[in-house]
Amino acid sequence: MQVAIVLYPGFTSMDVIGPYEVFGRLPDTDVVFVAERPGLVVNDLRSLSINAVAGLADVPSPDMVLIGGGPGQAGQMADGNLHEWLRTVDRTSAWTTSVCTGSLILAAAGVLKGRRATTHWAMLENLAEFGVTPSKERVVIDGHYVTGAGVSAGIDMALTLAGLIAGDDMAQTVQLIIEYAPQPPYHVGSLDTAPPEVVENAWRVMSA
């Protein structure tokens, strides 16, 4: 199975690295980082780069495509080479997936129209602009589309999909290998649990 993880300038690292750690440990799976042009792609914090070893044209028919989110997502909403590639590979992919605001890119490309999907809480309602039904679920499966909510949800999405692809035993084995047993020190990981002042601070930081 070939998994193509899409990179673009300003991506959020954990959106793609979390799923990479899961999918890269599945048997008979080749994970390749792709971008419009091969080479180093810088993340949103401008302090980490991932080498995209292939251009979009070099990966014409992956079994799975995954695109993450991040502030750079805003620059990937116009129709162009990336959207055309997403539409093309979606026709033959077993799974088309996203993490965080990556689903907005899929939506803008037109592949999620009429589907349910999720994204980061701050952008959730924006999905409706593209004919997509927003869902507050952490992981949403609709047909061969699998979307994860914000950032850390990418690991949940990947493990869910790993179970469907390789079976529950293998998915659980990978979960143990990466010791994914979250025990966050604060109970503020969603709008439902975060107090108003924390939500206000989050909006301020994201808008800076």
Side-chain angles (χ1 to χ4, degrees):
M1 179 177 69
Q2 184 184 53
V3 178
I5 299 180
V6 180
L7 300 177
Y8 52 83
F11 70 95
T12 294
S13 305
M14 192 173 177
D15 284 8
V16 297
I17 292 299
Y20 168 79
E21 285 293 333
V22 174
F23 295 136
R25 298 176 191 279
L26 297 181
D28 304 316
T29 299
D30 174 40
V31 181
V32 56
F33 286 102
V34 303
E36 191 161 354
R37 288 177 295 277
L40 292 175
V41 184
V42 183
N43 77 334
D44 55 345
L45 300 179
R46 300 182 180 181
S47 56
L48 182 147
S49 298
I50 296 179
N51 186 28
V53 298
L56 298 176
D58 300 319
V59 186
S61 55
D63 301 289
M64 182 195 306
V65 59
L66 181 145
I67 187 163
Q73 160 263 320
Q76 305 300 318
M77 298 297 286
D79 202 24
N81 292 337
L82 175 57
H83 286 205
E84 182 179 353
W85 182 83
L86 288 170
R87 288 190 291 266
T88 299
V89 298
D90 178 60
R91 297 188 189 108
T92 57
S93 66
W95 301 100
T96 295
T97 74
S98 67
V99 179
C100 197
T101 54
S103 62
L104 289 172
I105 301 175
L106 292 181
V111 301
L112 293 182
K113 189 173 183 179
R115 301 285 183 170
R116 294 171 59 254
T118 190
T119 189
H120 190 281
W121 57 264
M123 303 291 284
L124 186 60
E125 296 309 315
N126 294 43
L127 285 169
E129 299 174 15
F130 302 96
V132 182
T133 301
S135 172
K136 292 183 179 180
E137 295 171 83
R138 192 161 171 82
V139 177
V140 174
I141 302 175
D142 189 338
H144 79 286
Y145 301 100
V146 186
T147 54
V151 192
S152 63
I155 299 177
D156 295 30
M157 185 277 292
L159 285 170
T160 299
L161 197 44
L164 295 175
I165 293 169
D168 292 337
D169 287 348
M170 178 54 66
Q172 290 177 66
T173 299
V174 171
Q175 181 174 346
L176 178 59
I177 289 172
I178 67 174
E179 200 170 349
Y180 182 58
Q183 297 178 342
Y186 307 106
H187 192 49
V188 295
S190 74
L191 288 180
D192 294 334
T193 59
E197 61 271 20
V198 173
V199 175
E200 183 179 343
N201 286 341
W203 278 115
R204 184 165 54 249
V205 170
M206 290 187 297
S207 301

